[in-house]
Amino acid sequence: MSIRLVYVILGLVVLIGCDQPNTKDMNLTSPHWQPNQTIPAQFTCEGEDISPALIWSDIPNDTKSFVLIVRDPDAPSQEWIHWLVKDIPTAVTSVEDNSVPAGGVEVMNDFGRTGWGGPCPPNGEHRYYFELYALDVPTITGNSLTEVETAMDGHILAKGELLGLFKR
């Protein structure tokens, strides 16, 4: 292989790398389960179906707001959104059981309502991704997942993720 070809390949790698978002990782946890472990029944349709407490840290200094999305990619027909909260103020770094992050705005989930909709898989074990995004803007537009994700594009500073599992 010629040295010129090596430089061309290295140049392409650098250019491709430049298109990737320069995001950092945040820490997102729950006092109720460890990552990749079972979500306790009280937060599901087999229990009280209340939202779980969450705590986040390692927040970038220039964060202006957060967005919280809870997804089930294992739903039978399509990914299922269990909870979507936008415009969470930067002073908020946790949420208690059965509550909304203070100041956050809930967006309709795939149950056709705002608020938490707990895990209730029809069959097998499902994965539930709790995703927290730090944004460089204080508010975003959008009344659906698609609109919120479009508004977030280009504004994500960091992401924290917590995976929980549940089987009925």
Side-chain angles (χ1 to χ4, degrees):
M1 180 181 306
S2 75
I3 192 74
R4 178 175 282 160
L5 182 56
V6 169
Y7 283 122
V8 168
I9 292 170
L10 286 174
L12 287 172
V13 168
V14 168
L15 284 175
I16 291 168
C18 289
D19 288 341
Q20 300 303 314
N22 187 19
T23 60
K24 299 178 181 177
D25 292 329
M26 290 185 297
N27 189 30
L28 178 61
T29 62
S30 176
H32 302 295
W33 75 91
Q34 295 298 311
N36 305 314
Q37 298 298 313
T38 301
I39 297 170
Q42 73 188 48
F43 305 109
T44 73
C45 67
E46 292 198 339
E48 299 172 60
D49 200 13
I50 61 172
S51 60
L54 299 169
I55 303 163
W56 51 95
S57 61
D58 300 328
I59 300 160
N61 290 335
D62 45 353
T63 300
K64 302 279 192 286
S65 69
F66 299 104
V67 170
L68 175 64
I69 303 172
V70 181
R71 309 171 189 264
D72 172 5
D74 303 316
S77 61
Q78 65 183 28
E79 174 182 77
W80 194 263
I81 302 303
H82 286 261
W83 202 17
L84 176 52
V85 186
K86 66 178 186 171
D87 301 342
I88 303 167
T90 57
V92 177
T93 57
S94 66
V95 60
E96 297 295 322
D97 290 345
N98 200 27
S99 64
V100 179
V105 176
E106 292 180 299
V107 177
M108 189 173 300
N109 60 30
D110 284 335
F111 293 99
R113 64 179 191 263
T114 59
W116 170 256
C120 196
N123 55 32
E125 183 174 70
H126 285 215
R127 298 167 295 159
Y128 298 89
Y129 288 93
F130 291 71
E131 302 169 347
L132 183 77
Y133 296 89
L135 305 180
D136 65 1
V137 291
T139 63
I140 57 171
T141 59
N143 294 312
S144 69
L145 175 66
T146 302
E147 291 174 358
V148 168
E149 286 181 326
T150 299
M152 288 170 45
D153 189 36
H155 296 287
I156 299 171
L157 300 171
K159 178 183 177 184
E161 186 174 274
L162 173 64
L163 174 62
L165 308 172
F166 188 69
K167 179 181 179 180
R168 291 174 59 190

